[in-house]
Amino acid sequence: MRLGLVQGEAPKEFSVFSESSVDQQGVATSGIDYIFSAKEIRKTFPGVVALDKVSINIRPGQVHALMGENGAGKSTMMKIIAGIYIPDKGTLFFKGEPLVLKSPRDALNKGIAMIHQELNLFAHMTVAENIWIGREPRNVLGLVDHGELRDRTAKLFADLAIDIDPEAELGSLSIANRQMVEIAKAVSFNSDLLIMDEPTSAITDKEVEHLFRIIGSLKSQGKAIIYITHKMDEIFQIADEISIFRDGTHIVTKPASKFDHNSLIAAMVGRELNQVFPKEEVPIGGIALQVKDLARESAFSNINFDVRFGEILGVAGLMGSGRTEIMDSLFGVYPADSGEIHFNGKKLNIKSPKDAIKAGMAFLTEDRKQSGLFLSLSVGENMQIASLPLHSSLGFVRQKEVDELCSDMSKKLKVKTPGLYEIIENLSGGNQQKVLLARWLLNTPKLLILDEPTRGVDVGAKAEIHKLITQLAKQGAAIIMISSELPEVLGMSDRVMVVYDGKVGGILSRQEATQEKIMTLASGVEL
Amino acid sequence: MSNSVPFEKVDKVETLKKKRWALPQEFSIFLVLIGIGLVFEALGWIIRSESFLYNPDGLLIMVLQVSEIGLIAVGVTMVIIAGGIDLSSGSIVALAAMVAASLAQVSGYDRAIYPGLTDLPFLIPVLAGVAVGGLAGLVNGSLVVKSKVPPFIVTLGMMVSARGLARYYTEGQPVSMLTDSYTSIGGGANPVIIFIAAVVLFHIVMRYTRFGKCLYAIGGNTQAARVSGINVGRNLIAVYTIAGLLAGLAGVVVSARAQTGQSGMGMSYELDAIAAAVIGGTSVSSGGIGRVTGTLIGALILGVISSGFTFLGIDSYIQEIIKGIIIVAAVVADQIRKKRTR
Ligand SMILES: Nc1ncnc2c1ncn2[C@@H]1O[C@H](COP(=O)(O)OP(=O)(O)OP(=O)(O)O)[C@@H](O)[C@H]1O
Ligand SMILES: [Mg+2]
């Protein structure tokens, strides 16, 4: 049923929505059950109305999920609740009192904490320092008490069953572990309202389960949680209530049990949607990439695989399994120590990404903030940076030509932005992701390596991206796609390579591949 | 479907127009320049009963001074945009001035540095001065890239060494008796023309060439730039070298205008150059932000302030105090402007 169209049922759902919005107001007037309410919030940015007349009510001891397309205004609303943005209009109520927030610190002091969509940690500080920054325990001399700092962190991690060394430098952790640190940090404030903005976009199923256990225990302590995600399967597992935003307005709030998969999507996108792009059989050509005995110290060893032109090779594995590291080396970000890479019949000596790009490869990296985005530059500049060599003569960029390509690509990927000139930092997370994907699609690669390509992207755009990837394969490109979402891997791939502990755990054909087999291989058990 | 009100199709995938009509970023800072000029004009009438702006001689002197700092500031701006910093430009001015002047002396002067190399065509000292500057910049860039020592330290070292070298070159003696063809480079409005040419050239480089775009990218996020296939090292070496070349050229202009080469020339020019860049909107705290044209206006603001104070007869120590305040105020104003989206 997951793959089905929303059809026929839709009109019935529409009427349910209109009922519930009445219902919504009825409840709002009683107002006692709520720990937090926002009324008629409006927030504008230059050229953008991010939120208009948005009201939500949050109950204690419940998970309130927030859903909507990329750029719908979810993060903006959360940043208002966490004291980061000041609304243009509207009022907030917390524990029955009107709430005016002067700063994020103010919100924390009052009992509202937030896990941000983008990680906000300091790479050169230890895990413990990161968690307690600004509120470090101090000794009699007023200096930071490092022993106490470590003990507190250890206790926090023990409570949450997190297995990370408090003394490790944050920069040495995987993204998934950094995300766990961010979660622990938010929990450590012991807030009554905890906002989680796409906390699972960077972690695998194992950590997701872990997070859900943490959420469960927070709920039982009567804490309220606002939870944003684009992952449909999570929603019904975790949410008690669901609110839907669209284009900066609040569409509907209902108990999760009153939604089903299709009605949820229909409410989000406001139209019928073929949300899963079906796998297309594409003729598979000759060998594009052949990797022989590739190894890099303390990351991976003995890596052997190949990809053919027109083929999509899915790559699965747990966090820290080495799947990202292998791709980093293929692309020359951190060159391999030994082994051979043959591409298009030639042996390559890849020392830097420049070499890889010259050979016709492209690589969408996993960590968009660290190795993807130029936050201070415009959407257009971000999109075209990798294909400038294709569009310049004598060092001068043929600006009109690239701008047109960028415009086309933005439209195809439905990037929500006032224009190519907008500074990319001002785009919503999902839209930033689309711009990065566009960067590499514009490069017309012969081998496209995608590390979590649809991370933080909404359901509609996801289908669109899958379609573009398939189109590229059809045109003969070879594609390697890492994804933590097994349905995505299973749905898109011709073959699936599972990585475990820096080694290839196994390679499954499309026919063989199942969720169970992948999970088995990913946990190091041989089939 | 009649009750499908919340479902009207709001497909807001706008046509991505190239640019919404907007004032250029430099506009606000340009207004500041005009404002400061008018304040001095008013004060001029009040205090001295004279016009500050309608004073061709005074303005020419101001613009000439701005040109020297400005020439350096163009290079410094580019380095800062690429995420670096250059503290060595003032010292490079001195070194280039000494070397160039030593090759520009007239014959029949018994204390010539190179008695056999006198009365040379002016192009030779010019090229020598520029080359010395370029070489110093190349050393800066190579050290920054290869040794991974922060640019602040590398260029601080160069600042001290290049100044020492300039002094050592003639054991502190000034180099005078320069050829007319050489000194004419600093004559009339030539320095201004050279400066404007550099601004136009590097404005085009930064806006319309791949190299310029790569510098913005490197300053914005070095790792992402590398992953995007940019040769970070080569571009950084190039930008430090360009900054050195421009400082060398400034050394030529300075010595030609003063008709002498002195090892004390260009003292603390690097700070004025950085100030001009910062006032013009280049961000020292995060790379990838800034414009050469902003720096032009920043340099003019500095020039107007110091010539305005001199015009009003204000003590030079007080001038420095106020200049410092204005630099910080410019950055604060910029931060406030940015924060307003909160
Ligand atoms: N600081 C800002 N300046 C300008 N525009 C902004 C800013 N922050 C957000 N916006 C705009 O407001 C709109 C809502 O953005 P928001 O980040 O809230 O979306 P979102 O629902 O969280 O999307 P996503 O699912 O992609 O994270 C977007 O169009 C975005 O471009
Ligand atoms: Mg968001």
Side-chain angles (χ1 to χ4, degrees):
Chain A
M1 191 57 233
R2 282 180 58 107
L3 307 187
L5 281 165
V6 182
Q7 256 172 7
E9 301 167 1
K12 184 188 87 207
E13 291 298 324
F14 297 165
S15 57
V16 174
F17 291 153
S18 33
E19 268 169 36
S20 75
S21 60
V22 174
D23 185 84
Q24 179 63 26
Q25 278 170 4
V27 178
T29 42
S30 67
I32 298 158
D33 303 341
Y34 303 126
I35 182 164
F36 175 88
S37 306
K39 297 227 163 20
E40 305 266 309
I41 300 291
R42 181 181 168 86
K43 177 71 188 172
T44 56
F45 296 107
V48 185
V49 181
L51 293 170
D52 193 23
K53 294 209 185 86
V54 172
S55 303
I56 50 170
N57 300 304
I58 310 296
R59 293 172 211 270
Q62 289 206 352
V63 173
H64 192 114
L66 202 56
M67 298 198 78
E69 289 180 291
N70 295 133
K74 304 178 298 293
S75 296
T76 305
M77 185 67 196
M78 295 307 107
K79 286 180 185 165
I80 287 174
I81 301 176
I84 294 157
Y85 291 150
I86 298 164
D88 302 349
K89 278 196 199 134
T91 21
L92 308 177
F93 296 88
F94 191 48
K95 301 177 184 165
E97 304 281 318
L99 175 74
V100 178
L101 296 171
K102 292 194 245 5
S103 65
R105 178 106 234 157
D106 194 18
L108 283 170
N109 289 339
K110 288 179 168 138
I112 301 173
M114 174 161 175
I115 300 171
H116 287 269
Q117 186 168 6
E118 307 295 338
L119 296 169
N120 281 307
L121 299 167
F122 304 94
H124 297 294
M125 296 167 93
T126 67
V127 169
E129 284 167 339
N130 264 289
I131 291 181
W132 306 101
I133 186 157
R135 41 190 188 127
E136 297 88 349
R138 275 178 279 191
N139 59 22
V140 279
L141 297 175
L143 303 176
V144 174
D145 183 343
H146 282 97
E148 172 71 12
L149 193 67
R150 186 187 49 238
D151 295 347
R152 273 196 203 180
T153 314
K155 176 161 186 320
L156 177 70
F157 283 181
D159 286 351
L160 302 177
I162 292 176
D163 182 23
I164 298 174
D165 177 9
E167 309 265 80
E169 196 180 82
L170 193 102
S172 68
L173 303 185
S174 67
I175 299 191
N177 269 338
R178 287 183 216 183
Q179 183 70 60
M180 294 313 284
V181 171
E182 188 89 80
I183 290 166
K185 179 178 174 182
V187 172
S188 75
F189 285 97
N190 202 13
S191 307
D192 298 308
L193 175 60
L194 190 53
I195 300 164
M196 302 188 177
D197 195 351
E198 299 191 35
T200 55
S201 68
I203 57 185
T204 58
D205 291 352
K206 199 175 111 223
E207 292 86 39
V208 174
E209 265 171 43
H210 189 165
L211 172 65
F212 285 2
R213 281 198 299 276
I214 294 175
I215 290 178
S217 92
L218 292 172
K219 267 171 70 169
S220 65
Q221 295 164 35
K223 312 213 175 235
I225 287 145
I226 306 181
Y227 188 93
I228 300 179
T229 187
H230 288 292
K231 297 186 178 172
M232 302 298 289
D233 43 345
E234 284 177 4
I235 274 295
F236 293 104
Q237 252 186 71
I238 191 86
D240 298 300
E241 257 187 323
I242 302 177
S243 284
I244 310 266
F245 283 16
R246 192 197 313 150
D247 284 323
T249 56
H250 172 256
I251 301 296
V252 62
T253 299
K254 284 197 300 185
S257 54
K258 295 269 168 63
F259 278 108
D260 64 22
H261 195 83
N262 292 340
S263 63
L264 194 59
I265 292 174
M268 270 199 288
V269 291
R271 66 197 132 92
E272 293 170 8
L273 177 79
N274 182 356
Q275 35 133 346
V276 171
F277 181 74
K279 171 78 187 165
E280 263 186 69
E281 289 305 325
V282 169
I284 307 258
I287 290 182
L289 175 82
Q290 186 155 33
V291 177
K292 286 185 193 158
D293 297 326
L294 204 67
R296 174 153 58 90
E297 173 111 36
S298 71
F300 55 83
S301 60
N302 208 4
I303 303 297
N304 287 287
F305 69 94
D306 58 25
V307 198
R308 290 168 173 271
F309 288 112
E311 185 185 38
I312 301 178
L313 176 73
V315 180
L318 298 177
M319 73 178 220
S321 61
R323 30 176 224 183
T324 295
E325 286 77 3
I326 295 171
M327 300 310 148
D328 275 347
S329 291
L330 266 185
F331 201 68
V333 182
Y334 302 103
D337 299 332
S338 63
E340 288 181 12
I341 300 168
H342 294 258
F343 184 58
N344 212 359
K346 273 195 300 249
K347 185 174 175 230
L348 295 185
N349 179 17
I350 296 177
K351 286 274 160 273
S352 74
K354 197 180 159 95
D355 299 335
I357 292 172
K358 259 204 193 128
M361 302 187 190
F363 182 28
L364 176 69
T365 54
E366 177 185 26
D367 185 345
R368 62 173 170 247
K369 201 170 170 186
Q370 196 186 321
S371 57
L373 295 169
F374 302 102
L375 283 177
S376 57
L377 303 188
S378 71
V379 171
E381 286 161 330
N382 267 282
M383 229 185 251
Q384 44 197 252
I385 191 74
S387 33
L388 290 180
L390 300 176
H391 304 285
S392 44
S393 12
L394 300 169
F396 281 85
V397 177
R398 295 192 295 273
Q399 199 62 51
K400 227 174 136 189
E401 180 182 307
V402 251
D403 281 351
E404 269 163 26
L405 287 172
C406 288
S407 273
D408 279 358
M409 196 52 89
S410 307
K411 277 179 215 148
K412 265 194 210 158
L413 291 172
K414 301 203 171 60
V415 178
K416 194 180 170 197
T417 170
L420 289 179
Y421 59 82
E422 177 75 314
I423 300 299
I424 199 158
E425 189 167 18
N426 295 339
L427 260 58
S428 80
N431 284 301
Q432 291 175 347
Q433 180 71 19
K434 294 184 206 169
V435 173
L436 292 185
L437 183 66
R439 175 187 295 170
W440 294 114
L441 294 177
L442 280 175
N443 211 18
T444 51
K446 287 191 280 230
L447 168 68
L448 179 59
I449 307 170
L450 301 164
D451 199 347
E452 306 284 1
T454 57
R455 178 169 163 206
V457 166
D458 67 47
V459 264
K462 204 168 182 168
E464 209 56 46
I465 288 174
H466 289 164
K467 188 163 135 194
L468 278 167
I469 294 175
T470 306
Q471 262 173 19
L472 213 65
K474 235 184 192 168
Q475 288 159 18
I479 289 160
I480 300 178
M481 187 182 78
I482 300 184
S483 175
S484 296
E485 281 179 64
L486 286 183
E488 183 169 72
V489 172
L490 290 168
M492 293 286 295
S493 314
D494 295 296
R495 281 185 303 152
V496 181
M497 173 165 91
V498 185
V499 181
Y500 166 75
D501 195 23
K503 302 200 172 50
V504 178
I507 297 181
L508 303 167
S509 70
R510 183 170 179 79
Q511 289 72 32
E512 290 170 325
T514 61
Q515 202 133 347
E516 293 71 36
K517 276 189 190 159
I518 292 177
M519 287 314 293
T520 313
L521 286 173
S523 53
V525 180
E526 297 200 6
L527 286 180
Chain B
M1 272 296 214
S2 57
N3 52 357
S4 62
V5 195
F7 279 86
E8 68 202 290
K9 189 160 184 286
V10 264
D11 208 7
K12 277 205 194 138
V13 185
E14 342 35 2
T15 42
L16 295 162
K17 16 181 183 157
K18 251 189 95 183
K19 186 100 194 172
R20 122 189 96 177
W21 189 83
L23 290 168
Q25 285 163 359
E26 291 84 357
F27 190 72
S28 57
I29 196 83
F30 185 67
L31 286 185
V32 172
L33 173 64
I34 302 286
I36 294 176
L38 292 178
V39 168
F40 279 118
E41 178 70 11
L43 289 175
W45 284 109
I46 295 166
I47 297 174
R48 291 188 50 177
S49 313
E50 258 181 76
S51 172
F52 167 64
L53 294 176
Y54 188 73
N55 178 358
D57 291 345
L59 283 190
L60 180 64
I61 292 176
M62 181 202 91
V63 182
L64 284 170
Q65 274 161 357
V66 165
S67 302
E68 291 167 358
I69 303 279
L71 211 45
I72 302 175
V74 169
V76 169
T77 301
M78 291 167 63
V79 169
I80 298 177
I81 288 172
I85 189 85
D86 189 354
L87 297 175
S88 64
S89 42
S91 300
I92 294 177
V93 166
L95 183 60
M98 297 302 283
V99 171
S102 70
L103 291 170
Q105 289 178 302
V106 293
S107 58
Y109 173 49
D110 55 359
R111 286 187 11 229
I113 309 280
Y114 303 113
L117 293 173
T118 52
D119 275 340
L120 298 174
F122 79 100
L123 211 55
I124 291 178
V126 170
L127 289 179
V130 174
V132 164
L135 198 65
L138 181 67
V139 171
N140 276 339
S142 309
L143 282 173
V144 166
V145 171
K146 300 280 190 282
S147 74
K148 307 247 184 318
V149 174
F152 186 92
I153 308 294
V154 168
T155 59
L156 184 70
M158 179 58 76
M159 170 179 150
V160 177
S161 298
R163 178 74 62 190
L165 211 56
R167 295 208 177 101
Y168 175 77
Y169 190 65
T170 60
E171 263 137 29
Q173 296 303 310
V175 183
S176 332
M177 301 300 280
L178 309 181
T179 60
D180 288 346
S181 61
Y182 182 76
T183 54
S184 69
I185 297 168
N190 286 347
V192 184
I193 294 168
I194 294 173
F195 171 47
I196 297 301
V199 169
V200 171
L201 174 65
F202 287 105
H203 176 71
I204 291 172
V205 166
M206 291 307 278
R207 297 290 314 260
Y208 302 105
T209 69
R210 237 165 86 192
F211 172 62
K213 286 170 189 289
C214 289
L215 292 183
Y216 278 99
I218 293 168
N221 183 343
T222 310
Q223 174 69 351
R226 208 169 91 80
V227 174
S228 304
I230 294 172
N231 189 331
V232 173
R234 209 165 61 196
N235 282 290
L236 281 181
I237 292 177
V239 76
Y240 279 97
T241 306
I242 289 173
L245 289 170
L246 283 167
L249 183 59
V252 169
V253 171
V254 169
S255 57
R257 192 157 81 89
Q259 311 200 345
T260 169
Q262 294 182 11
S263 58
M265 282 176 156
M267 196 63 87
S268 79
Y269 275 22
E270 65 280 342
L271 298 182
D272 281 342
I274 294 170
V278 167
I279 294 174
T282 301
S283 167
V284 203
S285 49
S286 77
I289 300 173
R291 288 196 187 197
V292 172
T293 43
T295 300
L296 166 67
I297 300 172
L300 283 171
I301 288 180
L302 283 178
V304 168
I305 290 169
S306 65
S307 69
F309 282 142
T310 310
F311 172 72
L312 295 178
I314 292 176
D315 187 273
S316 73
Y317 299 131
I318 297 183
Q319 285 191 27
E320 278 172 23
I321 298 172
I322 297 179
K323 204 163 90 182
I325 294 173
I326 288 176
I327 292 167
V328 176
V331 179
V332 172
D334 204 43
Q335 301 279 356
I336 292 175
R337 196 167 51 87
K338 274 187 209 128
K339 223 182 250 162
R340 225 180 280 147
T341 45
R342 193 173 108 95

